[in-house]
Amino acid sequence: SQQGEEDPQALSIQEGENATMNCSYKTSINNLQWYRQNSGRGLVHLILIRSNEREKHSGRLRVTLDTSKKSSSLLITASRAADTASYFCATGGERGNMLTFGGGTRLMVKP
Amino acid sequence: KAGVTQTPRYLIKTRGQQVTLSCSPISGHRSVSWYQQTPGQGLQFLFEYFSETQRNKGNFPGRFSGRQFSNSRSEMNVSTLELGDSALYLCASSPTTGISGNTIYFGEGSWLTVV
């Protein structure tokens, strides 16, 4: 079963706009990782944020984590057509490297 | 450094047959995990191996099994295939297991179609 949900399920924006995706989860976590998946391909790791961190940046990506609300957000700034993909959050708990995934957000960036 | 390598990339099998998928982790990584991705159930954890030992197992029937070799390479096997086993099977590797800062890297996956 999936840990939580991602919101929105689908998002369509114009190139240059910012895209924000949200992820909620249900149980306590050690970390939360965001991944990108292009159609039919594998998962590309974007960012890992530990449970004791509140915000992390990587290039045009900004991730926040609010453990009190059991939620995280991924912000992509100045989006490009190449950012078109599905984005997944995955939580890591206390069971080794087992990740529990959300349902994903399908992002379409129109040129 | 080469990424996680999975073979074969695509395969078609008949109901009742069995299939073996292979995964080579990133060099130096000792943890290998497997996931199943379907449109209906999304991404689901199958199992994790670390130092040739199964560390965790997801909620899948016993037809799904795996193993890890001394060089950290891993295989998963699905016996008595069912139509519902059609999915993208993803392998993931990580240097170690059980720590909060463990980045987990995925391969391109193996597309299995059961007819």
Side-chain angles (χ1 to χ4, degrees), chain B residues 36-102:
Chain B
Q36 181 196 64
Q37 185 177 24
T38 61
Q41 299 298 316
L43 281 150
Q44 294 188 289
F45 172 80
L46 281 158
F47 26 66
E48 178 195 3
Y49 287 86
F50 181 77
S51 294
E52 301 180 66
T53 301
Q54 187 179 87
R55 295 292 298 259
N56 295 291
K57 189 175 191 304
N59 189 25
F60 279 82
R63 300 185 297 107
F64 292 81
S65 64
R67 60 178 175 167
Q68 186 180 35
F69 303 96
S70 59
N71 61 358
S72 294
R73 192 176 66 86
S74 176
E75 289 180 348
M76 68 162 282
N77 183 276
V78 187
S79 63
T80 318
L81 284 166
E82 301 175 0
L83 295 178
D85 297 332
S86 295
L88 177 63
Y89 289 88
L90 292 160
C91 174
S93 81
S94 187
T96 183
T97 188
I99 62 172
S100 65
N102 226 11

Side-chain angles (χ1 to χ4, degrees), chain A residues 21 27 41 43 45 49 58 64 71 74-75 79 87 93:
Chain A
M21 290 160 266
T27 62
R41 307 293 298 274
L43 299 174
H45 187 268
I49 186 165
S58 176
T64 61
S71 68
L74 169 67
L75 168 68
S79 63
Y87 292 81

Side-chain angles (χ1 to χ4, degrees), chain A:
Chain A
S1 62
Q2 293 177 347
Q3 165 76 288
E5 296 180 358
E6 293 185 55
D7 168 50
Q9 291 188 343
L11 179 62
S12 181
I13 58 174
Q14 294 294 134
E15 226 173 10
E17 295 181 338
N18 296 341
T20 299
M21 290 160 266
N22 303 296
C23 165
S24 62
Y25 57 91
K26 298 173 183 173
T27 62
S28 62
I29 63 172
N30 282 338
N31 62 59
L32 187 145
Q33 309 193 44
W34 283 90
Y35 292 88
R36 184 185 76 233
Q37 184 178 41
N38 291 89
S39 182
R41 307 293 298 274
L43 299 174
V44 175
H45 187 268
L46 298 176
I47 286 187
L48 176 151
I49 186 165
R50 294 179 177 83
S51 59
N52 61 353
E53 297 174 317
R54 291 297 166 256
E55 187 171 313
K56 284 191 81 170
H57 296 256
S58 176
R60 294 183 296 113
L61 307 180
R62 172 179 170 255
V63 167
T64 61
L65 179 64
D66 187 335
T67 53
S68 66
K69 295 181 179 178
K70 291 186 168 58
S71 68
S72 174
S73 68
L74 169 67
L75 168 68
I76 303 174
T77 59
S79 63
R80 306 166 181 167
D83 295 328
T84 294
S86 291
Y87 292 81
F88 294 90
C89 69
T91 53
E94 297 176 356
R95 291 183 60 189
N97 284 340
M98 173 182 168
L99 293 176
T100 305
F101 283 84
T105 293
R106 294 187 310 278
L107 173 66
M108 175 174 288
V109 181
K110 300 176 184 176

Side-chain angles (χ1 to χ4, degrees), chain B residues 92-115:
Chain B
S93 81
S94 187
T96 183
T97 188
I99 62 172
S100 65
N102 226 11
T103 298
I104 297 169
Y105 300 92
F106 283 79
E108 287 290 325
S110 292
W111 278 102
L112 171 65
T113 301
V114 182
V115 297

